[in-house]
């Protein structure tokens, strides 16, 4: 049986929600492996709207196991709220259909405070534009070996030792930033109060996944954000604090890389970015405005307006390589309907030379100017197309040219937010 990893191949917001939902219907297990509640998507199933940012998409479907892997950072208070909201909508959530890895680090109130305080104090040009949810500081504590993990909630003595170790670091930091010291007793009380809500789902996820794999179950690894926000391969430091690329599905869940059979990269027909950082193809003109309006480009978590630009084939070729993408799901083609001409970035000019990748050095990134290829647009609507025959010839040419430039085939073409409006070329789950 095939196991599939879904990753965003741009800066996030590629339309993963619909594709993940479409695939999760056919999977047995759906696992998150990185990020936290900085992600956000809306699922519409049988007319009901569900908002998810931490729980795997499979949770809204009966008969599936949803898993939060150790690569995630988990805010237990947010978890409680998200679960309560879904339950109020009639979704069943229990220890049989939701498991949280015992070695998952927690996001605490201090992390959110620190995240926001740093952003506020940042000098112009150094602000990251984070979601303010404490993601970065929580990952820092994980690698700093002072995180509180799910399993620690079960034992008061361990919890006290962990909190003390954590506060030595945080109180020093907070003093320097002019913030009050953390109230140790209050934090311990908060953690003790929330513990049962989390512990009821705690499980050795690596073991459960190994058993599921052995039993031939289909596992869907649900990535959040996008590969250009990856802590190593993204536009550092304007990135999120986790590995986003497909390899993280293995380390963030406890499965070996050999368990991954297909990597589906989600790619939008143009480019967007929310938050600060380099964006070579960004458009500040009427075309950018039009992409944003037609594509409803506003952040799901923060409501911020997304920056928009033409399709950047250089960046997507790069992320297809770093994630080992087997095939892409191409989304939001209909947003391009009605443009007389379309541009695709096919290379950059850097100091008079043409290059075919985004260099790592920030100063070089800033000097890269896009080299565009212009293609004719189409006037007909592609919205809701369900077969190639429903698409105008120019739209097919655009898709084919993208495949060529990114060196990766289209596995799925999504032509509207509706699940059925999808052209399937290769089924990621078929083996
Ligand atoms: P953080 O993940 O909150 O630390 O934010 C770091 C960067 O990642 C910021 O530019 C955010 O806007 C961006 N980011 C985080 N999560 C998402 C997402 O789900 N979609 C798009 N951008 C995101």
């Amino acid at each position: 049986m095939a196991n599939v990893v879904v990753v965003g191949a741009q800066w996030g917001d590629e339309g993963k929600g619909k594709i993940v939902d479409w695939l999760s219907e056919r999977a047995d297990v759906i696992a998150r492996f990185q990020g936290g509640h900085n992600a956000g998507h809306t699922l519409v199933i049988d007319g009901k709207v569900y908002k998810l940012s931490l729980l795997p998409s499979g949770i809204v479907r009966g008969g599936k196991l949803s898993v939060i892997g150790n690569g995630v950072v988990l805010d237990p208070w947010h978890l409680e709220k998200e679960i309560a909201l879904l339950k109020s909508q009639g979704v069943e959530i229990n220890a049989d259909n939701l498991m949280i890895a015992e070695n998952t680090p927690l996001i605490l109130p201090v992390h959110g405070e620190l995240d926001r305080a740093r952003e506020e104090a940042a000098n112009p040009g150094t602000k990251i534009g984070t979601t303010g949810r404490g993601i970065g500081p929580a990952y820092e504590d994980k690698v700093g070996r002072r995180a509180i993990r799910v399993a620690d909630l079960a034992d008061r003595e361990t919890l006290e030792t962990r909190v003390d170790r954590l506060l030595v670091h945080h109180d020093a930091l907070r003093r320097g930033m002019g913030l009050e010291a953390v109230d140790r007793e209050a934090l311990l009380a908060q953690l003790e109060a929330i513990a049962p809500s989390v512990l009821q789902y705690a499980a050795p996820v690596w073991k459960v996944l190994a058993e599921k794999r052995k039993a031939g179950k289909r596992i869907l690894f649900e990535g959040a954000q996008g590969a250009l926000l990856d802590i190593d391969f993204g536009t550092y430091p304007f990135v999120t604090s986790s590995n986003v690329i497909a390899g993280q599905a293995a380390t963030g869940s406890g499965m070996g890389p050999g368990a991954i059979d297909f990597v589906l990269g989600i790619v939008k027909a143009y480019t967007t970015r929310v938050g600060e950082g380099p964006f070579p193809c960004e458009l500040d003109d009427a075309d950018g405005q039009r992409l944003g309006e037609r594509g409803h480009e506003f952040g799901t978590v923060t409501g911020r307006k997304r920056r928009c630009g033409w399709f950047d084939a250089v960046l997507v070729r790069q992320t297809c390589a770093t994630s080992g993408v087997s095939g892409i799901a191409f989304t939001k083609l209909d947003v391009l309907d009605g443009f007389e001409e379309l541009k695709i970035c096919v290379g950059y000019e850097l100091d008079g030379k043409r290059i075919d990748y985004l260099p790592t050095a920030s100063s070089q990134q800033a000097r890269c100017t896009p080299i565009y290829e212009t293609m004719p647009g189409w006037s007909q609507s592609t919205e809701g197309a369900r077969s190639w025959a429903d698409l105008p010839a120019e739209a097919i040419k655009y898709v084919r040219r993208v495949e060529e430039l990114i060196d990766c085939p289209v596995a799925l073409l999504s032509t509207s937010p509706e699940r059925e409006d999808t052209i399937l070329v290769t089924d990621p789950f078929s083996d």
Side-chain angles (χ1 to χ4, degrees):
M1 283 295 170
N3 299 320
V4 176
V5 180
V6 170
V7 286
Q10 290 153 314
W11 275 293
D13 311 309
E14 299 91 353
K16 287 187 288 293
K18 167 184 156 174
I19 308 290
V20 165
D21 177 46
W22 188 81
L23 288 168
S24 69
E25 195 181 19
R26 304 152 78 232
D28 301 298
V29 181
I30 298 94
R32 283 274 315 258
F33 56 89
Q34 50 74 228
H37 64 311
N38 49 347
H41 57 253
T42 306
L43 295 179
V44 184
I45 297 171
D46 299 332
K48 263 194 170 174
V49 179
Y50 303 97
K51 298 231 177 250
L52 298 176
S53 58
L54 177 61
L55 293 168
S57 298
I59 200 74
V60 295
R61 300 195 168 275
K64 316 278 175 193
L65 172 63
S66 287
V67 161
I68 294 182
N70 56 282
V72 168
V73 279
L74 179 121
D75 179 329
W77 297 277
H78 177 88
L79 175 81
E80 196 177 50
K81 268 196 231 141
E82 198 168 308
I83 290 178
L85 181 64
L86 288 173
K87 281 188 172 173
S88 75
Q89 293 184 283
V91 177
E92 210 171 295
I93 302 178
N94 53 49
D96 288 328
N97 71 351
L98 176 64
M99 290 185 189
I100 301 176
E102 296 159 318
N103 48 348
T104 305
L106 301 183
I107 301 182
L108 305 176
V110 287
H111 296 130
E113 281 169 34
L114 185 57
D115 191 358
R116 293 185 293 272
R118 278 181 182 155
E119 286 283 275
E120 267 163 38
N123 294 322
T126 62
K127 225 184 252 303
I128 308 281
T130 72
T131 59
R133 301 214 152 174
I135 306 293
Y139 277 116
E140 286 168 33
D141 281 347
K142 171 181 174 171
V143 295
R145 294 164 291 193
R146 54 179 174 265
I148 296 172
R149 307 199 299 176
V150 167
D152 301 331
L153 292 170
D155 178 65
R156 170 83 193 192
E157 215 173 298
T158 312
L159 199 53
E160 286 194 27
T161 314
R162 295 276 192 271
V163 165
D164 288 339
R165 187 176 161 83
L166 182 87
L167 295 192
V168 168
H169 176 83
H170 276 270
D171 281 340
L173 200 60
R174 290 169 71 93
R175 263 197 303 280
M177 296 184 80
L179 296 171
E180 268 179 31
V182 176
D183 182 338
R184 175 185 188 267
E185 296 315 312
L187 176 59
L188 279 166
Q190 274 179 300
L191 288 168
E192 277 202 317
I194 198 73
S197 298
V198 182
L199 288 171
Q200 61 183 305
Y201 306 109
V205 155
W206 63 269
K207 188 168 179 291
V208 175
L209 290 179
E211 286 159 7
K212 294 286 179 193
R213 187 178 177 213
K214 207 166 174 199
K217 302 293 181 194
R218 290 172 160 184
I219 305 170
L220 175 66
F221 295 94
E222 177 182 353
Q225 290 87 47
L228 294 168
L229 290 169
D230 182 271
I231 187 74
D232 288 300
F233 293 100
T235 45
Y236 191 91
F238 301 98
V239 292
T240 191
S241 294
S242 61
N243 279 116
V244 174
I245 57 172
Q248 174 65 14
T251 46
S253 68
M255 290 204 101
I260 300 169
D261 302 292
F262 195 99
V263 178
L264 184 69
I266 315 294
V267 177
K268 187 153 61 179
Y270 52 99
T271 316
T272 61
R273 162 158 218 179
V274 59
E276 309 301 318
F279 183 174
C281 292
E282 183 169 12
L283 293 172
D284 279 325
D285 58 8
D287 286 337
Q289 180 96 6
R290 183 163 162 192
L291 289 171
E293 279 164 16
R294 287 187 55 96
H296 309 290
E297 297 295 352
F298 292 91
T300 333
V301 172
T302 57
R304 288 177 291 177
K305 199 169 167 200
R306 296 178 187 141
R307 301 154 65 193
C308 298
W310 295 119
F311 185 76
D312 190 332
V314 177
L315 290 179
V316 176
R317 185 171 56 234
Q318 200 159 321
T319 56
C320 282
T322 53
S323 269
V325 171
S326 324
I328 66 163
F330 202 48
T331 65
K332 297 183 94 166
L333 185 67
D334 55 296
V335 173
L336 302 183
D337 293 352
F339 275 95
E340 212 161 285
E341 284 188 333
L342 299 167
K343 288 186 177 162
I344 301 182
C345 173
V346 295
Y348 300 129
E349 190 184 310
L350 174 65
D351 304 335
K353 284 201 187 101
R354 184 181 174 132
I355 56 167
D356 64 356
Y357 69 101
L358 187 69
T360 302
S362 302
S363 59
Q364 291 191 343
Q365 288 181 355
R367 294 202 304 280
C368 279
T369 51
I371 301 169
Y372 287 118
E373 192 173 282
T374 304
M375 296 194 71
W378 52 90
S379 52
Q380 307 93 311
S381 167
T382 60
E383 195 182 342
R386 294 185 183 183
S387 78
W388 291 103
D390 295 338
L391 294 175
E394 292 79 8
I396 298 176
K397 272 189 210 144
Y398 182 81
V399 176
R400 293 297 179 219
R401 184 65 184 137
V402 164
E403 284 181 312
E404 223 167 63
L405 289 166
I406 66 172
D407 198 17
C408 192
V410 166
L412 289 162
L413 191 73
S414 161
T415 56
S416 96
E418 298 298 322
R419 287 159 53 78
E420 285 69 30
D421 293 341
T422 303
I423 302 173
L424 178 64
V425 181
T426 308
D427 183 351
F429 271 126
S430 68
D431 33 8

